[in-house]
Structure formats: structure tokens, C-alpha cells
Amino acid sequence: MLILGIESSCDDAAAAVLETTAPGIADIRSSTVANQDDIHRAYGGIVPELASRSHVVTIGPVIERALDGAGCRLVDIEGIAVTRGPGLVGSLLVGLMFAKGLAQASGVAMVGVNHIEGHLLAPLLENRIAMPYLALVVSGGHTALFAVEDFGRYRRIGSTRDDAAGEAFDKVAKLMGLGYPGGRAIDEMSRRGNRKSVRIPRAHVRGAPMDFSFSGVKTAVATILASEDGRAGRPEDLAASFQEAVVDMLVKPTIAAARELGADTIALTGGVAANSRLRDRLAEAAAADGRRLVAPALEYCTDNAAMIALAGGYRLIRGERDALSIDAQANLAL
Ligand code: KG4
Ligand code: ZN
């Protein structure tokens, strides 16, 4: 079945064409993204109104590019999978309305997909992974551990009590004047820094070993930057020490959850999964514990439509479809 995936939940407009034969088994025929970083950079964060306005302009061309890349036309598409939440409601509406229009015009089935389900299943785009597996979703908006038990059966076993890890990266990058989005800048800068030179406290959630907390680490960096010593120190060292603290705080609960679940495979997904130190450290910790780490290629870690096509695909090949009256839901639960 040839599926068109559409994603516009936040600041990326994305489309992909996937050929799927069975749940979770897919051949990525194309995957395209229109990135808006240049639009939001001047504001140091995403401006929702600008995001949705930009989506209105780019969504059509992005879908055309995906169809071209796959060497097919709209009439060849047999199903449409589109993100319906969670996310910025104005952004979500653009992709959803476009999908409804295409479904109405072509008569093919459309399903609405939960964005988080897309991230949870993204590791299957390039790997065969037996279920149940443990997924760490770590992005600008989410930081959580899920047991992926089956298609459509996900159990949250830990999550952040405050900020998402990506949010901490972005806020610290802003404090350090590294621009937006800041995760990658911190990752790159950290390669030249000493990870042990600046003391950053690690937060643990008492009584909840599989939960996370990242608001304290941001405050710690702000306090250091406000002090004379902090300002005199090398920014590379601060970046590397901060990053190491975040990685420590992600690795520990993840390994605890994998043990509790008895999961052979840990899947790392979401934008922060692009972080080189997190990949290395989690791979090491998993191997030391007799487990395997699977992380998607970078383009499938960050927001993309291939994961949405995969997550909608298992329902479409079962013959399911959603009514064209479904709504976008900013807080859609999994
Ligand atoms: O999944 P994503 O594209 O969007 C959502 O939040 O859903 O993730 C974006 C987040 C941003 O916070 C960005 O700073 C972070 O991923 N990020 C990174 C790296 N690359 C992207 N964080 C740390 N290290 C990186 N290399
Ligand atoms: Zn995302």
C-alpha cells in the first residue's frame, strides 16, 4: 500500500511517501521537510502564528516534492496519514485540512495520527525490532519513556516533571548566546570542552526512578553565568558539563526502565536523539547491561512525515479510516 504521510505539528512542514506491506514494515520512497528555523531564529523560539502562516505557504510544495521524489502522482496514493496532535493547534490545522482536502478529492482513506506515536515507531523505519521494546522519546516538547507493546499499545512508564530535555538545551543555548535552536550548537561546542570542569547538580525525582526533571539544570547554568567565575570560564567547558549532566539524567532512568521491563532493545527517538554524546553514552550503558540501542538516522529522529506514515500505515492496511470531521487536538493523549 502506498501511503502519503503529512506532518505539521510544530515548526516543520513535512511529507513522505511510504510503501508498506505489513504493520511496521515499510520502504521509504521519499521524505521531505521544510524547516522554519530561519523564520523563528530572530525571536529565540517558535512563534506559533508565524509557524502556521509559513505552513500554509509550504505544505503544498512539500507534498509535491515528496510525490516527485517517490516518482508517483496523487492518483497512485492509496492512503493518507496525517498528524492530528499533540502540537500547536494552528500548525496542526494546516496539515490536517490539507489532508482532508486530498482525501475528499481522491476518495482514499485518511487516518489521524498521534505525533508521539510517530516518534515511538520511527526506529522501525530502518530496523526490525521485536516488541515489546523500550522507547525514550526526547525532543523539544517531550521527554518520556514508553513500553511499545504492540502497534497501538503503548504504556508510559516515566516522564519529565517539568521541562523537556530539548527545552533545557534550547534555554541554556539561549543563555549562552548560541542562537536557536540550540541543541546542536551545544553538542558541537561540547566536543572541545571539559565535561568535568563545571559542577552541575543532577536532579532525581524522589521515589520515581524512571521520571526526569530538567528545570534545575537550566537554573544552575543561569546562576553560573551570573557569577564572576562563571563568566570568566570557557563556554566550551560549561556546554560540555551541562550536556554531560543532561545525558546522565537521561541514561539512568532509561536503564532502570529497561531492567524493570526486561526489554532487550532500547529505542532512542525525538530531536535530542541527534545528540552525539547521548547516543554514545546510552549505547555504552545498554551494551554493559546486555541490551541493544537502536537510534534512527538523524532525519528520522527530528520531526518528519515518514514516521507519521508508518504510524498511520498499520491502521490503513487494516482497512481503518477516520471520518473527515476529525479535529486537531493540541493536547491529544496517546
Ligand atoms: O523532535 P524535534 O525535531 O521537535 C519536537 O520538539 O517535537 O526536536 C527538536 C529539539 C530541539 O530542542 C533541539 O534543540 C533538539 O531537538 N536537538 C538537539 C540536537 N539536535 C536537535 N539537542 C541536543 N543535541 C543535538 N545534537
Ligand atoms: Zn516531535
Side-chain angles (χ1 to χ4, degrees):
M1 185 175 201
L2 208 57
I3 294 169
L4 173 66
I6 300 174
E7 150 69 36
S8 70
S9 64
C10 192
D11 62 335
D12 290 312
V17 176
L18 226 73
E19 169 114 57
T20 184
T21 47
I25 311 282
D27 175 25
I28 307 167
R29 298 271 296 266
S30 68
S31 179
T32 62
V33 181
N35 180 278
Q36 297 182 1
D37 286 352
D38 289 342
I39 294 173
H40 303 290
R41 187 166 290 123
Y43 305 94
I46 296 165
V47 184
E49 180 63 23
L50 295 182
S52 45
R53 282 197 226 169
S54 168
H55 283 325
V56 170
V57 177
T58 53
I59 195 78
V62 165
I63 292 170
E64 269 174 32
R65 259 194 3 241
L67 293 170
D68 282 351
C72 67
R73 297 189 309 149
L74 196 55
V75 292
D76 303 316
I77 296 297
E78 300 169 272
I80 299 170
V82 58
T83 307
R84 69 178 295 211
L88 301 169
V89 76
S91 291
L92 287 163
L93 278 169
V94 178
L96 183 60
M97 292 306 151
F98 209 98
K100 286 183 187 181
L102 292 178
Q104 173 84 343
S106 63
V108 305
M110 179 199 83
V111 291
V113 173
N114 184 304
H115 180 81
I116 304 300
E117 181 177 25
H119 277 305
L120 291 179
L121 299 179
L124 297 174
L125 284 167
E126 301 161 301
N127 301 278
R128 291 283 184 98
I129 311 173
M131 293 180 184
Y133 62 84
L134 176 72
L136 170 62
V137 188
V138 66
S139 74
H142 309 275
T143 299
L145 286 161
F146 284 91
V148 179
E149 298 173 336
D150 199 349
F151 293 98
R153 251 188 42 218
Y154 316 103
R155 190 159 52 86
R156 185 191 291 262
I157 45 185
S159 49
T160 182
R161 296 295 181 97
D162 38 59
D163 291 352
E167 209 175 337
F169 270 100
D170 292 339
K171 285 178 177 168
V172 164
K174 195 171 177 180
L175 286 171
M176 294 180 69
L178 298 177
Y180 168 87
R184 207 167 88 192
I186 290 194
D187 191 353
E188 279 164 12
M189 193 174 217
S190 297
R191 290 171 216 254
R192 303 186 301 276
N194 180 339
R195 296 190 280 265
K196 293 190 177 137
S197 53
V198 184
R199 217 187 71 77
I200 310 270
R202 273 68 168 157
H204 307 283
V205 182
R206 194 172 298 155
M210 291 175 276
D211 279 348
F212 310 92
S213 167
F214 295 104
S215 63
V217 76
K218 171 196 69 194
T219 311
V221 172
T223 309
I224 289 164
L225 284 171
S227 73
E228 228 162 90
D229 278 0
R231 275 196 303 273
R234 290 176 70 233
E236 290 86 350
D237 293 343
L238 180 57
S241 301
F242 157 75
Q243 177 174 277
E244 198 67 4
V246 173
V247 169
D248 277 344
M249 288 188 283
L250 286 168
V251 170
K252 210 169 164 202
T254 304
I255 296 297
R259 285 184 185 156
E260 166 117 347
L261 208 69
D264 293 334
T265 303
I266 301 171
L268 176 61
T269 169
V272 182
N275 185 269
S276 58
R277 185 68 182 156
L278 177 60
R279 285 180 171 240
D280 290 352
R281 284 277 316 278
L282 199 53
E284 263 169 39
D289 217 39
R291 299 170 214 281
R292 168 175 82 130
L293 178 75
V294 176
L298 300 190
E299 64 189 291
Y300 304 124
C301 285
T302 48
D303 288 350
N304 66 87
M307 68 182 192
I308 302 303
L310 188 95
Y314 78 83
R315 289 178 52 210
L316 287 165
I317 55 177
R318 284 178 189 164
E320 290 178 33
R321 61 161 70 200
D322 283 327
L324 294 188
S325 55
I326 60 166
D327 238 335
Q329 280 185 25
N331 300 313
L332 184 66
L334 193 63

